[in-house]
Short mmCIF file of all heavy atoms in Angstrom, two decimals:
data_model
loop_
_atom_site.label_atom_id
_atom_site.label_comp_id
_atom_site.label_asym_id
_atom_site.label_seq_id
_atom_site.Cartn_x
_atom_site.Cartn_y
_atom_site.Cartn_z
N HIS A 1 -24.37 9.91 3.05
CA HIS A 1 -23.32 10.00 2.06
C HIS A 1 -22.02 9.60 2.71
O HIS A 1 -21.89 9.61 3.90
CB HIS A 1 -23.16 11.41 1.52
CG HIS A 1 -24.48 11.95 0.90
ND1 HIS A 1 -24.89 11.62 -0.42
CD2 HIS A 1 -25.54 12.72 1.34
CE1 HIS A 1 -26.04 12.19 -0.71
NE2 HIS A 1 -26.41 12.92 0.34
N PHE A 2 -21.02 9.36 1.90
CA PHE A 2 -19.68 9.10 2.41
C PHE A 2 -19.14 10.48 3.06
O PHE A 2 -19.36 11.49 2.53
CB PHE A 2 -18.69 8.72 1.33
CG PHE A 2 -18.76 7.27 0.97
CD1 PHE A 2 -19.24 6.91 -0.30
CD2 PHE A 2 -18.36 6.38 1.89
CE1 PHE A 2 -19.21 5.51 -0.59
CE2 PHE A 2 -18.43 5.02 1.55
CZ PHE A 2 -18.84 4.60 0.28
N ASP A 3 -18.51 10.29 4.14
CA ASP A 3 -17.87 11.43 4.77
C ASP A 3 -16.42 11.49 4.55
O ASP A 3 -15.88 12.46 3.92
CB ASP A 3 -18.24 11.49 6.33
CG ASP A 3 -17.65 12.72 6.99
OD1 ASP A 3 -17.54 13.79 6.26
OD2 ASP A 3 -17.37 12.68 8.18
N LYS A 4 -15.71 10.41 5.03
CA LYS A 4 -14.30 10.34 4.85
C LYS A 4 -13.94 8.83 4.56
O LYS A 4 -14.54 7.92 5.28
CB LYS A 4 -13.48 10.84 6.07
CG LYS A 4 -13.50 12.35 6.16
CD LYS A 4 -12.59 12.81 7.38
CE LYS A 4 -12.60 14.34 7.42
NZ LYS A 4 -11.60 14.80 8.49
N PHE A 5 -12.95 8.68 3.77
CA PHE A 5 -12.47 7.38 3.48
C PHE A 5 -10.94 7.45 3.28
O PHE A 5 -10.45 8.11 2.31
CB PHE A 5 -13.08 6.75 2.26
CG PHE A 5 -12.74 5.33 1.93
CD1 PHE A 5 -12.66 4.38 2.92
CD2 PHE A 5 -12.49 4.99 0.68
CE1 PHE A 5 -12.32 3.13 2.64
CE2 PHE A 5 -12.09 3.72 0.27
CZ PHE A 5 -12.02 2.75 1.32
N GLU A 6 -10.09 6.94 4.22
CA GLU A 6 -8.74 7.15 4.25
C GLU A 6 -7.92 5.83 4.34
O GLU A 6 -7.30 5.56 5.40
CB GLU A 6 -8.31 8.11 5.43
CG GLU A 6 -8.97 9.45 5.40
CD GLU A 6 -8.72 10.28 6.63
OE1 GLU A 6 -8.29 9.65 7.62
OE2 GLU A 6 -9.00 11.49 6.62
N PRO A 7 -8.04 5.01 3.32
CA PRO A 7 -7.34 3.67 3.44
C PRO A 7 -5.80 3.76 3.17
O PRO A 7 -5.36 4.70 2.36
CB PRO A 7 -8.02 2.86 2.36
CG PRO A 7 -8.38 3.92 1.35
CD PRO A 7 -8.67 5.14 2.09
N ARG A 8 -5.11 2.95 3.82
CA ARG A 8 -3.64 2.84 3.54
C ARG A 8 -3.29 1.39 3.50
O ARG A 8 -3.78 0.56 4.32
CB ARG A 8 -2.79 3.57 4.68
CG ARG A 8 -3.14 5.02 4.94
CD ARG A 8 -2.00 5.67 5.72
NE ARG A 8 -1.80 5.01 6.95
CZ ARG A 8 -2.32 5.22 8.08
NH1 ARG A 8 -3.33 6.13 8.11
NH2 ARG A 8 -1.97 4.62 9.20
N PHE A 9 -2.36 1.02 2.68
CA PHE A 9 -1.83 -0.41 2.74
C PHE A 9 -0.40 -0.37 2.20
O PHE A 9 0.05 0.43 1.38
CB PHE A 9 -2.71 -1.34 1.91
CG PHE A 9 -2.67 -1.15 0.44
CD1 PHE A 9 -1.77 -1.91 -0.34
CD2 PHE A 9 -3.53 -0.35 -0.28
CE1 PHE A 9 -1.69 -1.72 -1.65
CE2 PHE A 9 -3.54 -0.23 -1.58
CZ PHE A 9 -2.56 -0.90 -2.30
N THR A 10 0.34 -1.36 2.70
CA THR A 10 1.70 -1.60 2.23
C THR A 10 1.80 -3.10 1.83
O THR A 10 1.15 -3.99 2.53
CB THR A 10 2.71 -1.33 3.39
OG1 THR A 10 2.43 -2.07 4.51
CG2 THR A 10 2.64 0.20 3.72
N PHE A 11 2.57 -3.30 0.87
CA PHE A 11 2.85 -4.67 0.39
C PHE A 11 4.32 -4.79 0.02
O PHE A 11 4.83 -3.95 -0.69
CB PHE A 11 1.94 -5.00 -0.79
CG PHE A 11 2.11 -6.32 -1.32
CD1 PHE A 11 2.02 -7.48 -0.47
CD2 PHE A 11 2.35 -6.64 -2.68
CE1 PHE A 11 2.16 -8.80 -0.99
CE2 PHE A 11 2.47 -7.97 -3.12
CZ PHE A 11 2.36 -8.94 -2.25
N SER A 12 5.06 -5.86 0.52
CA SER A 12 6.45 -5.94 0.33
C SER A 12 6.81 -7.38 0.28
O SER A 12 6.02 -8.28 0.73
CB SER A 12 7.22 -5.19 1.41
OG SER A 12 7.00 -5.85 2.64
N GLY A 13 8.01 -7.68 -0.27
CA GLY A 13 8.45 -9.12 -0.36
C GLY A 13 9.55 -9.25 -1.35
O GLY A 13 10.12 -8.27 -1.90
N PRO A 14 9.94 -10.47 -1.68
CA PRO A 14 11.01 -10.68 -2.55
C PRO A 14 10.53 -10.75 -4.00
O PRO A 14 9.50 -11.19 -4.33
CB PRO A 14 11.62 -12.05 -2.12
CG PRO A 14 10.36 -12.76 -1.58
CD PRO A 14 9.42 -11.69 -1.02
N VAL A 15 11.41 -10.29 -4.93
CA VAL A 15 11.33 -10.56 -6.34
C VAL A 15 12.05 -11.78 -6.70
O VAL A 15 11.61 -12.67 -7.37
CB VAL A 15 11.67 -9.35 -7.15
CG1 VAL A 15 11.61 -9.52 -8.61
CG2 VAL A 15 10.81 -8.08 -6.78
N VAL A 16 13.32 -11.75 -6.27
CA VAL A 16 14.22 -12.96 -6.31
C VAL A 16 14.84 -13.06 -4.95
O VAL A 16 15.52 -12.14 -4.47
CB VAL A 16 15.33 -12.69 -7.37
CG1 VAL A 16 16.27 -13.89 -7.43
CG2 VAL A 16 14.73 -12.42 -8.78
N ARG A 17 14.58 -14.14 -4.32
CA ARG A 17 14.96 -14.23 -2.95
C ARG A 17 16.48 -14.11 -2.73
O ARG A 17 17.28 -14.62 -3.56
CB ARG A 17 14.54 -15.71 -2.42
CG ARG A 17 13.08 -15.78 -2.19
CD ARG A 17 12.69 -17.18 -1.46
NE ARG A 17 11.28 -17.24 -1.23
CZ ARG A 17 10.67 -16.74 -0.15
NH1 ARG A 17 11.46 -16.17 0.78
NH2 ARG A 17 9.40 -16.86 0.05
N ASN A 18 16.81 -13.37 -1.68
CA ASN A 18 18.21 -13.11 -1.34
C ASN A 18 18.93 -12.18 -2.32
O ASN A 18 20.17 -11.94 -2.22
CB ASN A 18 19.07 -14.39 -1.20
CG ASN A 18 18.45 -15.24 -0.03
OD1 ASN A 18 18.05 -14.81 1.01
ND2 ASN A 18 18.40 -16.62 -0.41
N HIS A 19 18.19 -11.64 -3.32
CA HIS A 19 18.83 -10.82 -4.31
C HIS A 19 18.12 -9.56 -4.62
O HIS A 19 18.61 -8.45 -4.66
CB HIS A 19 19.09 -11.58 -5.60
CG HIS A 19 20.12 -12.66 -5.52
ND1 HIS A 19 21.39 -12.51 -5.47
CD2 HIS A 19 19.81 -14.07 -5.46
CE1 HIS A 19 22.02 -13.64 -5.29
NE2 HIS A 19 21.10 -14.64 -5.28
N VAL A 20 16.73 -9.61 -4.83
CA VAL A 20 15.96 -8.46 -5.19
C VAL A 20 14.69 -8.45 -4.41
O VAL A 20 14.03 -9.47 -4.24
CB VAL A 20 15.59 -8.45 -6.75
CG1 VAL A 20 14.79 -7.28 -7.19
CG2 VAL A 20 16.93 -8.67 -7.62
N TRP A 21 14.36 -7.20 -3.86
CA TRP A 21 13.12 -7.04 -3.02
C TRP A 21 12.37 -5.79 -3.55
O TRP A 21 12.90 -5.03 -4.27
CB TRP A 21 13.55 -6.83 -1.61
CG TRP A 21 14.35 -8.02 -1.00
CD1 TRP A 21 13.99 -9.10 -0.44
CD2 TRP A 21 15.74 -8.02 -1.04
NE1 TRP A 21 14.94 -9.90 -0.07
CE2 TRP A 21 16.19 -9.24 -0.47
CE3 TRP A 21 16.81 -7.18 -1.54
CZ2 TRP A 21 17.48 -9.69 -0.26
CZ3 TRP A 21 18.06 -7.53 -1.33
CH2 TRP A 21 18.43 -8.83 -0.73
N PHE A 22 11.10 -5.77 -3.10
CA PHE A 22 10.28 -4.50 -3.48
C PHE A 22 9.46 -4.16 -2.22
O PHE A 22 9.32 -4.95 -1.28
CB PHE A 22 9.30 -4.93 -4.64
CG PHE A 22 8.17 -5.73 -4.25
CD1 PHE A 22 6.87 -5.15 -3.90
CD2 PHE A 22 8.22 -7.11 -4.10
CE1 PHE A 22 5.81 -5.91 -3.48
CE2 PHE A 22 7.09 -7.90 -3.81
CZ PHE A 22 5.92 -7.27 -3.46
N PHE A 23 9.01 -2.86 -2.28
CA PHE A 23 8.07 -2.37 -1.28
C PHE A 23 7.22 -1.34 -1.95
O PHE A 23 7.59 -0.56 -2.81
CB PHE A 23 8.95 -1.67 -0.29
CG PHE A 23 8.09 -0.96 0.85
CD1 PHE A 23 7.78 -1.67 2.03
CD2 PHE A 23 7.65 0.31 0.76
CE1 PHE A 23 7.02 -1.10 3.00
CE2 PHE A 23 6.87 0.91 1.72
CZ PHE A 23 6.56 0.19 2.86
N ASP A 24 5.93 -1.39 -1.60
CA ASP A 24 4.88 -0.47 -2.20
C ASP A 24 4.05 -0.03 -1.07
O ASP A 24 3.36 -0.80 -0.34
CB ASP A 24 4.07 -1.24 -3.23
CG ASP A 24 3.20 -0.26 -4.08
OD1 ASP A 24 3.52 0.97 -4.01
OD2 ASP A 24 2.22 -0.66 -4.69
N GLY A 25 3.92 1.32 -0.89
CA GLY A 25 3.09 1.98 0.19
C GLY A 25 2.15 2.90 -0.49
O GLY A 25 2.47 3.88 -1.08
N VAL A 26 0.79 2.60 -0.39
CA VAL A 26 -0.24 3.41 -0.97
C VAL A 26 -0.99 4.12 0.10
O VAL A 26 -1.34 3.51 1.15
CB VAL A 26 -1.18 2.55 -1.81
CG1 VAL A 26 -2.26 3.40 -2.43
CG2 VAL A 26 -0.36 1.85 -2.90
N ASP A 27 -1.37 5.43 -0.09
CA ASP A 27 -2.07 6.18 0.85
C ASP A 27 -3.15 6.96 0.11
O ASP A 27 -2.81 7.73 -0.85
CB ASP A 27 -1.15 7.10 1.60
CG ASP A 27 -1.90 8.07 2.53
OD1 ASP A 27 -3.05 7.74 2.91
OD2 ASP A 27 -1.35 9.17 2.89
N LEU A 28 -4.43 6.75 0.41
CA LEU A 28 -5.51 7.45 -0.32
C LEU A 28 -6.38 8.16 0.72
O LEU A 28 -6.49 7.86 1.82
CB LEU A 28 -6.39 6.44 -1.08
CG LEU A 28 -5.70 5.60 -2.15
CD1 LEU A 28 -6.73 4.56 -2.69
CD2 LEU A 28 -5.19 6.46 -3.26
N GLU A 29 -7.11 9.25 0.25
CA GLU A 29 -8.00 9.96 1.05
C GLU A 29 -9.13 10.59 0.22
O GLU A 29 -8.89 11.14 -0.93
CB GLU A 29 -7.32 11.12 1.71
CG GLU A 29 -8.26 12.06 2.59
CD GLU A 29 -7.54 13.35 3.00
OE1 GLU A 29 -6.39 13.54 2.74
OE2 GLU A 29 -8.26 14.12 3.63
N TYR A 30 -10.39 10.38 0.70
CA TYR A 30 -11.51 10.95 0.03
C TYR A 30 -12.36 11.56 1.13
O TYR A 30 -12.75 10.93 2.10
CB TYR A 30 -12.39 9.84 -0.67
CG TYR A 30 -13.65 10.37 -1.23
CD1 TYR A 30 -13.70 11.06 -2.46
CD2 TYR A 30 -14.84 10.20 -0.54
CE1 TYR A 30 -14.86 11.56 -3.01
CE2 TYR A 30 -16.03 10.72 -1.03
CZ TYR A 30 -16.04 11.38 -2.27
OH TYR A 30 -17.23 11.84 -2.71
N ALA A 31 -12.57 12.89 0.97
CA ALA A 31 -13.33 13.60 2.00
C ALA A 31 -14.42 14.43 1.29
O ALA A 31 -14.06 15.14 0.35
CB ALA A 31 -12.44 14.53 2.79
#
């Protein structure tokens, strides 16, 4: 069976270059 699953990822970049940016950080855990 699954014991632990703890993925994390971040994704960032421009929405409109030199004007608007974004950042998204996701953290999950299954135990």
